[in-house]
């Protein structure tokens, strides 16, 4: 242990020695014995290597206690309170000798081979098993070689587990003895921390002017070893505590030098360290530069701590001197002593200030913009700590500007760190005045980072910092509005972070409105007492809802063309409804729910929306009452009503989610009490919604936008609880009537989609199926009757109501997507028309097919658009119709129900093909017809695996009579032969032509280059010149960047949808790919047309990977016994079967598509089973293998 300074020096190093006075000789001395302090390194009883590394042995503890006890006896002045009397000692010995044994038997001790030791205590075992020792904190060891071979400061600090304070104090002692040797040891320690094994000697230390050249030599030798890793960034577990240990050592070194006074008596100490370390911080190699920078920053942190303590001590001493001067009787000696102390502290603080300036200018000024982002992060972190530790020095614009400059750093971790440090500064309310100039200069950068930074985490952190700046009053109103608009941002983290900021905007608006209406007290008098159960009566929360709607509308309109509503892409090929994408108003409402507490009371919001505020607009301006003013303040426009309906919808959703989350505790378990509470919440919400939704539909049902939002509330309604509570069925029926009314009266696609989803949600509950199906049949009756009327008027009159026909077909397509339409589409209703009227007797399926085939020419643009919508809607309806047919066939085959009549889809396919041939280029209707043509072939191709499985299972029905088995098998074969058909060659070439046109269009609009075309027949197909003309015209027009981007996305969408359907057709073997030419053509530009197109074509690579995989060998069957004819027959049949399969595969090479059928593997995960019971099953296996070999 190094020699320690006296306690007086450590506690108060700058206290001047006490002046001697004549009274010191006559002062009475204490009678206590005095000893000179024994230093630890001179103490013969102290262990040299012990320090604080391990536990002290029990014997040593006892010896030390005895020594302390003897010293206490010698220094005690009263011996009567010491040891007990002789009589007491005799009594204790007598009781111990004749102590009765305990009644309970002693615990059985484990037997040991060796005798018990008499020197060390043995810990008792519990039940014969020793308790596992408590885990000890491992020592900080970098590697095993340090403890054996390393020596010096590095070994002391890491290998022996010393404390950094102890090692620093020991080094200061060695420095006082021989400064050159100690400095050489310290510089070698720094070199070792960089991962360099090279060293400097005494001559290098004595010549500091040659430090740069010496480090250059070490640099060259270090580079020759090609070392890439160094301890500071190593991920090795041994270096996990390397950084805090090194930085803690240099921090302790500065503190110890300050306590010992060496920091001020020997100024060469810091200068010599600075010469070597600052030179290393400018080295070209990263290990030297990074390690030296971290060490310099740690020394600067230590100096900041010393400087702060000196400043505080000086201020305290000044206050003491001022207090002494104000006394009536002034002690001049004490004032002189305090003045001397103040002068000494100021001198020392000046020296420390110079040291800090030198290190800052030599290291930080150059390294805060280092090429390595790790070094920049370390500099930002250190400066933030210095500002907090020594605000008098660093909390000035001269140093804060370094943080502002790093806000534009290219590294995301660096920007995140500077935002973190600035947030800490803005939380210090007492130092806000110092940040005023800094905030005025860099607030535009703050707002820019919050809006446009590439990292969502940084944007969220900057928004939190701006919220702190707003609390200080340093944020401009324009900046507040810019941040408030982020409530509509696309990133969830940003919306969640800005919710609190946005709530403060609402509170400011609310306070302004309340002040205009007379304040809180005046409002309480005008409104009266609020009834918590009556949600229809006016209350103050309505004003906050009004402010919420105004702010949302304001920020939504301010986005304008920059970040307004994203233009929707028209549907081209995909006729199936995609995933529901929530609007930006719904996303903003989700964030508002967490920021505005009033929104969580959704019943109050519903009452506000249902409140009839019309009397507020009818009154004049003369002598308006406070109640009238309140109603006018709560008046909403249509857009604000839509916004609050979105908020209401999300509030109900979030309330249900919170109820479900509270059902599970922290341990992931459910409790009965919480489950009952959740059930009560769900019941109350369901009952209240059942009453609110019809009222909302009656009030807001005329506007398509608000009607669509109200219909979304029906999706949240839990109809199961509604049925369990035995509510009146008329309430549910009236709710369905309201939904049907919206479906029949609106033509908006959004309303029709939401009404269809509401009907689908109602159909999901079997207990209410009877009521729901009745309402659906009413819808079918109304829509089909309207369709027949339009078709009849079209044939009888020259003019046709194209708008009405288009709306009717749109309703039919939406209704067919959620309800079975087979019976409706195939019915020929003659009840409402005369028998002579043949048009009315045609089934709806034929009517829609005829509408697809009707062509038109020489019509205006508006009529052309309406006719295109009629054709597209008819295609959608018929495609859904055939989907329901395939679903019915699968169910009948699975349940072995005989099929009454097989559908004929030739007319639909022919109509689609003729429509494709009549159009040109990448016309949207042509692409829609092409996609539907591929869809219908793929749809019926999925029956191939089902029919194979049906035939297979029919042979396993042992109890089924043979005649029924053959009937079912013939039915399945008939389904397969009649409905599963490949695409014709003519149609394939036409589809490939459309694909090439879509590919070129996407490449032209996205400015990508395609691979050169080959001389194949696919590439030699005729192209459509009109498509190129249209594309050139689009490019020549003056379009905005947003429109150009929309056209690019539309072209990519068209190409990916068409390619995806062609991939499914190839995998389903309905697209005859002889020689895999189509596959190769699809894959030609896979890497050239973007990642989406690449992922679509990636499904073509899976069969190749599967075919390369070797099949697992089957376990060998046990040998058949001699004379066992059954097993012998099975063995011979197995060989014959293998031979037969080989012969088929060699002869029928043209049927290569049967070897790999991934579409069947996707649609139905069939397994090949080896059935060897009888000859019939073996014959059936041959047929199954050709179609189901893709299951291997």
């Amino acid at each position: 242990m190094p020699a320690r300074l006296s306690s007086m020096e450590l506690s108060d190093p700058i206290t001047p020695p006490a002046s001697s006075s004549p009274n010191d000789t006559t002062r009475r001395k204490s009678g206590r014995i005095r000893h000179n302090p024994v230093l630890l390194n001179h103490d013969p009883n102290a262990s040299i290597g012990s320090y604080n590394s391990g536990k002290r042995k029990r014997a040593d503890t006892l010896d030390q206690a005895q020594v302390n006890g003897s010293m206490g006896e010698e220094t005690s002045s009263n011996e009567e309170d010491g040891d007990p009397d002789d009589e007491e000692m005799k009594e204790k010995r007598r009781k111990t000798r004749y102590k009765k044994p305990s009644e309970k038997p002693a615990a059985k001790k484990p037997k040991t081979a060796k005798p018990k030791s008499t020197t060390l205590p043995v810990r008792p075992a519990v039940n014969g098993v020793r308790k596992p020792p408590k885990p000890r904190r491992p020592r900080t060891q970098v590697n095993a070689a340090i403890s054996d071979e390393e020596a010096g400061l590095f070994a002391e600090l890491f290998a022996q587990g010393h404390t950094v304070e102890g090692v620093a104090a020991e080094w200061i002692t060695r420095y006082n003895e021989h400064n050159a040797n100690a400095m050489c040891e310290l510089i070698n320690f720094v070199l070792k921390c960089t991962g360099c094994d090279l060293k400097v000697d005494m001559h290098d230390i004595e010549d500091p002017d040659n430090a740069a050249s010496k480090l250059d030599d070490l640099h060259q030798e270090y580079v020759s070893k090609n070392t890439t890793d160094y301890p500071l960034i190593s991920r090795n577990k041994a270096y996990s505590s390397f950084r805090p240990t090194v930085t803690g050592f240099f921090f302790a070194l500065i503190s110890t030098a300050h306590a010992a006074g060496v920091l001020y008596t020997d100024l060469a100490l810091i200068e010599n360290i600075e010469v070597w370390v600052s030179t290393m911080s400018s080295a070209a190699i990263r290990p030297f530069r990074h390690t030296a920078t971290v060490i310099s920053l740690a020394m600067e942190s230590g100096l900041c701590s010393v400087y702060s303590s000196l400043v505080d001590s000086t201020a305290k001493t000044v206050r003491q001197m001022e207090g002494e001067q104000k006394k009536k009787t002034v002690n001049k000696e004490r004032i002189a002593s305090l003045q001397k102390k103040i002068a000494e502290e100021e001198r020392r603080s000046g020296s420390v200030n110079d040291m800090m300036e030198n290190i800052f200018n030599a290291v930080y000024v150059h390294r805060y913009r280092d090429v390595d982002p790790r070094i920049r992060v370390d500099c930002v972190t250190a400066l933030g700590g210095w500002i907090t530790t020594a605000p008098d020095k660093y909390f000035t614009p001269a140093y804060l500007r370094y943080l502002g400059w790093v806000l534009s750093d290219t590294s995301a971790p660096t920007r995140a760190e500077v935002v973190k440090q600035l947030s800490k500064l803005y939380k210090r309310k007492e130092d806000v005045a110092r940040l005023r100039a800094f905030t005025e200069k860099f607030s535009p950068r703050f707002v820019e980072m919050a809006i446009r930074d590439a990292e969502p985490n940084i944007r969220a952190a900057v928004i939190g910092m701006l919220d702190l700046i707003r609390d200080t009053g340093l944020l401009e109103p324009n900046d507040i509005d810019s941040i408030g608009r982020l409530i509509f941002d696309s990133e969830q983290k940003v919306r969640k972070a800005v919710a609190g900021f946005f709530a403060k905007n609402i509170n400011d608006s609310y306070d302004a409105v309340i002040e205009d209406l007379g304040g809180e007290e005046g409002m309480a008098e005008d409104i009266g007492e609020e009834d918590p159960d009556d949600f229809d009566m006016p209350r103050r929360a309505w004003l906050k809802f009004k402010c919420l709607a105004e702010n949302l509308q304001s920020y939504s309109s301010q986005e304008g063309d920059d970040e307004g509503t994203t233009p929707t892409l028209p549907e081209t090929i995909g006729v199936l409804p995609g995933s529901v994408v929530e609007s930006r108003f719904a996303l903003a409402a989700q964030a508002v729910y967490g920021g505005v507490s009033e929104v969580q009371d959704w019943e109050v919001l519903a009452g506000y929306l249902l409140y009839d505020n019309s009397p507020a607009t009818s009154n004049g301006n003369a002598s308006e009452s406070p109640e009238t003013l309140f109603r006018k303040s709560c008046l909403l426009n249509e857009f604000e009503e839509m916004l609050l309906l979105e908020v209401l919808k999300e509030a109900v959703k979030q309330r249900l989610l919170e109820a479900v989350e509270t059902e599970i505790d922290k341990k992931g378990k459910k409790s009965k009490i919480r489950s009952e509470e959740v059930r009560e919440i769900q019941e109350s919400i369901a009952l209240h919604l059942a009453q609110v939704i019809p009222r909302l539909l009656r009030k807001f049902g005329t506007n398509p936008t608000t009607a669509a939002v109200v219909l979304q509330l029906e999706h949240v309604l839990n109809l199961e609880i509604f049925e369990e509570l035995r509510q009146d069925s008329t309430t549910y029926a009236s709710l369905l009537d309201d939904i049907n009314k919206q479906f029949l009266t609106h033509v908006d696609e959004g309303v029709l989609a939401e009404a269809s989803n509401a009907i689908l949600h109602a159909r999901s509950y079997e207990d209410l199926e009877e009521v729901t199906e009745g309402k659906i049949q009413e819808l079918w009756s109304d829509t089909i009757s309207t369709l027949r009327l339009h078709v009849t008027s079209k044939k009888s009159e020259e003019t046709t109501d194209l708008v009405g026909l288009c709306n009717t077909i749109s309703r039919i397509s939406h209704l067919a997507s959620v309800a079975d339409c087979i019976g409706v589409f195939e019915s020929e209703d003659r009840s409402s028309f005369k028998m002579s009227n043949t048009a009315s007797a045609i089934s709806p399926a034929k009517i829609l097919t005829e509408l697809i085939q009707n062509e038109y020419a020489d019509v205006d643009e508006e009529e052309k658009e309406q006719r295109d919508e009629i054709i597209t809607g008819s295609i959608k309806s018929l495609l859904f119709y055939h989907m329901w047919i395939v679903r019915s066939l699968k169910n009948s085959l699975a349940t072995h129900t005989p099929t009454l009549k097989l559908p004929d889809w030739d007319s639909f396919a022919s109509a689609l093909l003729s429509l494709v041939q009549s159009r040109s280029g990448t016309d949207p209707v042509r692409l829609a017809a092409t996609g539907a043509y591929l869809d219908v072939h793929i749809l019926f191709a999925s029956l191939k695996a089902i029919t194979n499985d049906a035939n297979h299972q029919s042979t396993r029905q042992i109890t089924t009579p043979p005649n029924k088995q053959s009937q079912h098998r013939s039915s399945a074969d008939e389904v397969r032969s009649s409905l599963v058909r490949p695409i014709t060659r003519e149609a394939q070439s036409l589809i490939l032509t459309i694909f090439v046109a879509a590919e070129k269009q996407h490449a032209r609009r996205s400015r990508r280059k395609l691979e050169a075309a080959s001389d194949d027949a696919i590439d030699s197909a005729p192209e459509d010149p009109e498509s190129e003309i249209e594309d050139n015209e689009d490019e020549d027009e003056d379009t905005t960047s947003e429109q150009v981007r929309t056209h690019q996305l539309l072209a990519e969408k068209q190409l990916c949808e068409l390619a995806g359907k062609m991939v499914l057709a190839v995998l389903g073997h309905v697209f005859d790919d002889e020689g895999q030419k189509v596959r190769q053509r699809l894959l030609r530009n896979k890497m050239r047309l973007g990642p989406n197109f690449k992922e679509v074509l990636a499904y073509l690579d899976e069969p190749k990977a599967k075919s390369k995989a070797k099949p697992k060998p089957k376990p060998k069957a046990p040998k058949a016994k001699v004379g066992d004819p059954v097993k012998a027959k099975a063995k011979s049949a197995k060989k014959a079967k293998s031979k037969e399969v080989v012969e088929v595969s060699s002869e029928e090479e043209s049927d290569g598509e049967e070897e790999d059928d991934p579409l069947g593997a996707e649609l139905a995960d069939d397994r090949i089973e080896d059935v060897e019971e009888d000859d019939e099953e073996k014959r059936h296996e041959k047929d199954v293998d050709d179609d189901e070999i893709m299951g291997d």
Side-chain angles (χ1 to χ4, degrees), residues 493-507:
K493 290 182 179 180
V494 176
R495 295 195 304 270
K496 185 177 180 181
V498 83
F501 191 96
F502 181 76
K504 292 181 179 179
N505 294 354
I506 298 172
N507 292 333

Side-chain angles (χ1 to χ4, degrees), residues 231-249:
L232 203 60
I233 64 170
S234 178
R235 296 184 177 180
N236 192 349
K237 292 183 179 180
Y239 294 98
S240 59
S241 60
F242 180 83
R243 178 189 287 266
T245 303
V246 172
T247 56
F249 168 73

